[in-house]
Amino acid sequence: MSREPKPEPKPVREPKPVRKANRRGAARLAAVQALYQMDIAATPLHEILAQFESHWIGREVEGEQYLPAEESFFRDIVNGVVEGQRKLDPLVDQALESSWPLKRVEAILRSVLRAGAWELDKRRDIPARVVVSEYVDVANAFVDRDETGMVNAVLDEVARRLRAGEFDPAPQG
């Protein structure tokens, strides 16, 4: 986990018609990028939201058209992580190995784990397995396969703690 993350990608591009799922995926990716920027550059919340909404999400940047994101979902994730960080960090820490607390995890992975944990905690309308899978995909844009495996394991553990009912085995007939 000591490797530097891959270079920060530009927001997601999508030439096909935009489906709701794609808009949510773009919102997740943008939220992780925003949280990362807040973490490393101490950018204030209101400034980061305005910057992403006015300059990146669904905009043309340097001749490239970027996928529109569900802006309300983007805001919910970023605001939720900022407001709930005191609850989220211990949840993630419990799922990490005791020798590797969240504060030692790379900033981009902290952002992925916090956003995923927030969504698992607050967005019960989205199945836990979908949330975990989506954030593994987001992590894949930034880090190597080993780290995406860690994201999968940690968020799966958080999901099982917060939503055990979604993981109970089916009754045998």
Side-chain angles (χ1 to χ4, degrees):
M1 283 197 256
S2 62
R3 264 184 251 129
E4 289 297 311
K6 292 179 189 174
E8 193 173 344
K10 294 179 181 178
V12 178
R13 292 180 279 163
E14 180 63 48
K16 301 173 190 167
V18 179
R19 297 185 328 244
K20 185 173 184 173
N22 289 344
R23 292 175 63 88
R24 286 226 168 146
R28 288 179 178 105
L29 181 62
V32 166
Q33 289 174 305
L35 292 165
Y36 172 76
Q37 188 170 329
M38 290 175 69
D39 194 8
I40 63 163
T43 309
L45 177 63
H46 68 282
E47 188 177 313
I48 201 76
L49 292 173
Q51 179 184 25
F52 271 75
E53 290 173 353
S54 64
H55 298 296
W56 290 101
I57 296 175
R59 305 285 189 255
E60 185 174 319
V61 179
E62 298 174 7
E64 304 262 2
Q65 182 65 42
Y66 291 92
L67 179 66
E70 190 176 312
E71 288 189 27
S72 63
F73 193 59
F74 163 76
R75 282 181 163 268
D76 284 350
I77 296 168
V78 176
N79 281 316
V81 169
V82 170
E83 291 170 7
Q85 192 170 333
R86 288 196 173 140
K87 177 183 179 182
L88 299 171
D89 284 3
L91 276 173
V92 173
D93 260 335
Q94 290 170 0
L96 286 165
E97 293 181 25
S98 61
S99 63
W100 205 268
L102 184 60
K103 65 185 176 189
R104 289 186 60 190
V105 172
E106 297 169 48
I108 193 66
L109 290 174
R110 274 196 309 269
S111 298
V112 171
L113 293 171
R114 285 172 174 154
W118 175 83
E119 199 168 330
L120 287 165
D121 187 37
K122 299 298 183 184
R123 293 303 303 256
R124 304 291 171 131
D125 58 314
I126 303 167
R129 286 180 174 92
V130 170
V131 173
V132 172
S133 176
E134 288 288 324
Y135 283 99
V136 168
D137 287 347
V138 168
N140 194 46
F142 300 104
V143 297
D144 294 329
R145 187 178 177 102
D146 290 346
E147 283 97 355
T148 60
M150 183 272 292
V151 168
N152 185 56
V154 169
L155 290 180
D156 183 71
E157 176 67 26
V158 170
R160 288 174 187 277
R161 288 179 188 205
L162 293 174
R163 301 189 191 185
E166 289 185 47
F167 295 91
D168 288 343
Q172 299 295 319

